[in-house]
Amino acid sequence: MVVGAGSSGAVVANRLSEDSAISVALIEAGGEGRSALIDMPGAFGVHALLKRYNWGFESERCRGTAYRRHFCPRGKVLGGSSSINGMVYIRGDASDYDHWAQLGNRGWSYTDVLPYFRRAEANSRGADEFHGADGPLSVSDVPNDYQAAEAFVEAAKQAGHRENLDFNGARLNGVGAYQFTVRDGQRCGTRLAYIDPVVARRNLTILSHSHALKINLAGRRAVSVDARRGGARVTIRARREIIVCCGAFATPQLLMLSGIGPHDELAAHGIEVLHGLRGVGRNLIDHPDVAVGYRSRRAACCTYSAMRRATLSGEVGGWHNP
Ligand SMILES: Cc1cc2nc3c(=O)[nH]c(=O)nc-3n(C[C@H](O)[C@H](O)[C@H](O)COP(=O)(O)OP(=O)(O)OC[C@H]3O[C@@H](n4cnc5c(N)ncnc54)[C@H](O)[C@@H]3O)c2cc1C
């Protein structure tokens, strides 16, 4: 059983169900999300506002930012955050993976993970030592004829930054144009890349609108998941294993609700500790995203137009005002 059908869960469910001897249930709190607002790349900014496909979390008040709360969007739909994200195709730096391996995680060095990145990818530039051309995830250059973007890159070069023509190649740093997870002008999230091609598999059951509430343990073994589905609480049993792919916020939350986590945190919420594990819910690192907008007399902005259309059609409640 795979809980969470986002960037990771969709891939895991797809790959596991390749083996017809294994039956896979994919549990997702959100719906199917068949909407132009997801498929249309230019509409991505809408999802910072639109709650339909977004959990719309808010941070605790942050000392460094005058005790303000910050908006933390996360996808709640098939494809998860890959259905609402900015589609920039960017891997971690090679040193990140090597550091994981140095910490004792065998199989996670950059040399170890690179074949999987290549296997996943259908890069429109073709295959090379860093890229694949035959995978399910389309990665492409998007037409970029904004003079402002060109001027930005030029100015950065003049300021001493190196131009980088491939952020997922030999080095991550530099300035240049990103590639995007876009296929033929359409967002290529994990729903399009990994779920849609295999929905007909008889050994794959996709349960959308199913919010996992708790993982049930028998001793130290996870055996079933309680979920809210169609207004009722149901128990879904796993014959073999339960793989939790609910994302960086909801995975530790689900574990803690299930009694797996740090003693003090669980005790504070009156949850019985079934498996004390200090690291659960700790050490999250995220990056702030600050968009600065300027009005241009030259270039039209598709994100703005899409947002305006969505606002007019009533799909978006209003601008988010932190
Ligand atoms: C607005 C935004 C822009 C971003 N832009 C980029 C970008 O341009 N490039 C980039 O590389 N990364 C970007 N990211 C980050 C990237 O999308 C995420 O790192 C990635 O999608 C995380 O994958 P995941 O599988 O861990 O979680 P998710 O994709 O978030 O999947 C988790 C899934 O679990 C489901 N779920 C959660 N709780 C439960 C529950 N209790 N029961 C059942 N289902 C549950 C969720 O609904 C969701 O579908 C962005 C993220 C956001 C939110």
Side-chain angles (χ1 to χ4, degrees), residues 3-10 27-30 44 47-48 53-55 57 72-91 180-181 190 207 210-214 225 227 245-251 253-254 257 287 289:
V3 188
S7 293
S8 50
I27 317 287
E28 167 57 43
F44 86 93
H47 298 290
Y53 308 116
N54 192 340
W55 290 87
F57 296 129
C72 302
R74 289 276 117 184
K76 184 182 183 183
V77 63
L78 286 188
S81 299
S82 80
S83 293
I84 67 163
N85 71 11
M87 293 157 285
V88 174
Y89 181 66
I90 195 109
R91 303 171 186 166
F180 291 86
T181 45
T190 56
L207 299 172
S210 302
H211 185 153
L213 304 169
K214 190 176 177 224
V225 167
C245 297
C246 292
F249 298 155
T251 291
Q253 185 208 25
L254 181 60
L257 290 173
H287 65 91
D289 187 4

Side-chain angles (χ1 to χ4, degrees), residues 37 40 302-315:
L37 286 178
M40 183 168 60
C302 50
T303 302
Y304 176 77
S305 323
M307 277 183 169
R308 192 160 175 278
R309 271 202 300 280
T311 309
L312 293 175
S313 70
E315 283 222 62

